[in-house]
Amino acid sequence: MSGPDDKKPIDFIRTIIEQDIERNLNGGRVVTRFPPEPNGMLHIGHAKSICLNFGIATQYSNARCHLRFDDTNPEKEEMAYIHSIQEDVRWLGFDWGSHLYFASDYFGRLYELAEVLIQKGMAYVCSLCAEDMRTYRGTLTQPGQESPYRSRSVAENLAMFRAMRAGEYPDGSHTLRAKISMASPNINMRDPTLYRIRRAHHHQTKDAWCIYPTYDYTHCISDALEGITHSLCTLEFEDHRPLYDWILDQLKEEIGCHPQQIEFSRLELEFTVMSKRILTTLVQQRHVSGWDDPRLPTIAGLRRRGYTPASIRNFCSLIGITKAPNHVEMALLENCLREDLEINAPRAMAVLDPLRVVLENLPEDHLEELMVANHSQSEAFGTRMVPLTREIFIERDDFAENPPKGYKRLVLGGEVRLRHAYVIRCERVTRNPQTQAIETLHCQVDWATMNKAPEGRKVKGVIHWVSAQRHGKAHVHLYDRLFSVPQPTDNKGGGTFLDHINPGSLTVLADRPVEESLARAQLGEHFQFERLGYFCLDSCDSKPGHLVFNRSVSLRDSWAKGEKKA
RNA sequence: UGGGCCGUCGCCAAGCGGUAAGGCACCGGAUUUUGAUUCCGGUAUACCUAGGUUCGAAUCCUAGCGGCCCAGCCA
């Protein structure tokens, strides 16, 4: 791995870790973990966490990072996500080596430790139904009430918990709860649930269990069993830290390892959503084509859109790690991609809105095979052949009848350079007799201008083109932001995120002329279509003979910017 | 309104008592066969506000103000 993402920034978490290393805490070892729940696909917010956790593991000498599936809720989880998550982490460029774990690996140990808690009088079986438990919990401002089952004897608790495990009770009839304090101002400490009865088939443990441990009980113990030193999570778990610590404190003799939980703020990106629930809704209600829809901030979507692992890693490095709420602009992400592809994408030409041009001083059968550079800054990209013929296509907005001030492209009677080829002059236009729309431009090439500046005048404009007689065809997908407002989930004035979906987020252009060489493009391969943007061959819809290009990101366009202002 | 957390340029973000880094965005200008890239230059007397401590405060203290999270047998 090389590139800008190698510059490791020092954030408050790394500062803590470096202090811990210096003080020889944990024998100088650093063990982190990335703990996804397999109930959806990963998104750019997860990438932030992945880059943090795995980044730390690669950066310090005595360090490693585990991939652990937090699979304690079988009803919502699927095997398919377990595969896609691993694929995404690997694609981002990270490796967990042999350290692949499942929280469900620890179900046996977790159960034993629950009995230990019961024996210590620190947990009890509660027979309140869900609704009653909510009432007993109290509110933000009022303390809760103790469950009437709170004082069951150790023996009774043990017997009942064993019966729960043995399947002697119906789903939801009892829970195992920690005995902490119903008066705690922290609601998470008001006797939180540790185990619930759920007859659900688990993707890993199959039907071995009918009781499942909760996140709060499972996570801290899983961390401790794996010898995690720094358990990094997002801010919403800050209120859970006292519980994380409480459980491990009770089990000090049994486990003897107490990882440090440190929280950082989650990533918010403008004009999109990061909530798994909302992403799932968008997919299920078909507002997008699937989890890998190129408009989605999922790793799969970004990959299909044309984002590169390096660009995403660089982005994660640039946004930093803090506890402050942050809403990062899309422009930063886009810039990271441009920065990568500017150096790494070969160039090609395509015309998205074609206007026919006849080069009248070329013979009908003119065929000039131009060898052009695949990258004007780097010879390593080699060359390709681009055929020049009498008829070509140029971009419709590269010609103007009434040019705005400062227009550098083609006008009637004016000159422009055809990229990699000659300077041409536009002599006249012909129109559609019905609509009066311009149909064809009639131009003359200046033979003296191949690889040479024209004599006695300056030609400022350069436009791209494709032969009308020898070209390939491609469908081109143009993407815009999925939502029309910066924070689609902020609905203070009523409504939902669905009200902010941008109806113009996808534009499909069919059968556009592209240069012949693109027929050899590989799935997922990146190109810069000169003067237009970066595109990548769609890994899903593209087939041999049927090219589909996704626009990953447009080029910067200071002209369009000025135009908009005028 | 109980508890937890946060507040430095339009957006991220350094800074940890010695006089406001950097990136993105934006605005100029140079070079350019991509109006791209590259290159130069500009952009917070100011760090939520008000007091205080100090020779000196974004950094320490006090009081306010604003924002985010928490009442799943979700994670």
Side-chain angles (χ1 to χ4, degrees), chain A residues 140-399:
Chain A
L140 294 179
T141 49
Q142 289 168 302
Q145 292 171 264
E146 294 190 350
S147 162
Y149 306 100
R150 200 176 200 259
S151 50
R152 284 211 254 240
S153 69
V154 168
E156 190 183 359
N157 282 140
L158 212 47
M160 287 189 76
F161 186 52
R162 286 174 182 167
M164 277 171 67
R165 193 254 201 268
E168 289 168 26
Y169 302 124
D171 283 12
S173 56
H174 307 279
T175 56
L176 183 74
R177 290 228 254 168
K179 193 186 282 190
I180 309 179
S181 164
M182 291 308 290
S184 172
N186 180 347
I187 292 184
N188 294 300
M189 298 299 270
R190 319 240 259 234
D191 288 11
T193 301
L194 269 23
Y195 268 92
R196 66 286 215 196
I197 307 175
R198 275 271 184 299
R199 262 157 267 257
H201 183 79
H202 190 285
H203 46 93
Q204 302 301 310
T205 59
K206 312 303 174 196
D207 299 307
W209 297 87
C210 65
I211 58 171
Y212 289 98
T214 57
Y215 163 84
D216 282 311
Y217 179 63
T218 309
H219 201 86
C220 53
I221 296 177
S222 304
D223 279 349
L225 292 176
E226 290 178 18
I228 301 297
T229 57
H230 302 266
S231 181
L232 314 178
C233 62
T234 43
L235 249 26
E236 66 270 27
F237 292 104
E238 230 161 2
D239 289 343
H240 294 244
R241 178 155 32 94
L243 178 54
Y244 185 106
D245 290 335
W246 183 91
I247 293 172
L248 292 182
D249 285 343
Q250 307 312 310
L251 268 11
K252 210 180 324 192
E253 297 87 56
E254 288 75 15
I255 304 180
C257 171
H258 194 137
Q260 182 183 2
Q261 174 176 308
I262 307 171
E263 311 85 9
F264 61 94
S265 53
R266 62 193 305 159
L267 167 67
E268 304 285 354
L269 241 195
E270 288 193 336
F271 296 100
T272 189
V273 292
M274 227 59 98
S275 142
K276 242 193 238 179
R277 195 197 96 243
I278 293 179
L279 289 172
T280 307
T281 305
L282 290 170
V283 172
Q284 286 175 349
Q285 295 185 4
R286 302 246 134 229
H287 294 109
V288 294
S289 64
W291 281 103
D292 65 347
D293 188 291
R295 290 166 293 183
L296 254 24
T298 51
I299 303 301
L302 291 167
R303 175 168 56 225
R304 196 170 156 197
R305 173 77 168 258
Y307 273 83
T308 59
S311 68
I312 294 173
R313 275 186 254 124
N314 188 215
F315 172 75
C316 291
S317 154
L318 291 178
I319 57 175
I321 299 288
T322 66
K323 298 185 75 152
N326 59 98
H327 295 269
V328 178
E329 291 174 342
M330 201 59 99
L332 183 62
L333 215 210
E334 291 178 343
N335 187 67
C336 290
L337 214 220
R338 288 197 190 100
E339 207 173 84
D340 184 357
L341 263 20
E342 159 62 23
I343 298 169
N344 295 310
R347 318 275 125 125
M349 294 195 286
V351 176
L352 301 186
D353 186 10
L355 172 61
R356 183 173 294 271
V357 173
V358 180
L359 304 172
E360 300 200 301
N361 56 339
L362 261 50
E364 294 279 349
D365 61 351
H366 184 85
L367 173 64
E368 201 171 342
E369 301 197 325
L370 306 171
M371 290 311 286
V372 317
N374 289 331
H375 193 127
S376 49
Q377 328 268 331
S378 166
E379 287 185 12
F381 283 82
T383 58
R384 68 187 187 282
M385 192 278 283
V386 175
L388 175 66
T389 56
R390 188 168 194 263
E391 291 193 14
I392 61 172
F393 292 120
I394 67 166
E395 212 69 64
R396 193 161 277 274
D397 69 2
D398 282 338
F399 175 80

Side-chain angles (χ1 to χ4, degrees), chain A residues 71 266 336 342 389 393 403 449 451 518 527 551 562:
Chain A
D71 56 349
R266 62 193 305 159
C336 290
E342 159 62 23
T389 56
F393 292 120
T449 55
N451 300 321
L518 257 7
F527 295 92
R551 185 174 66 190

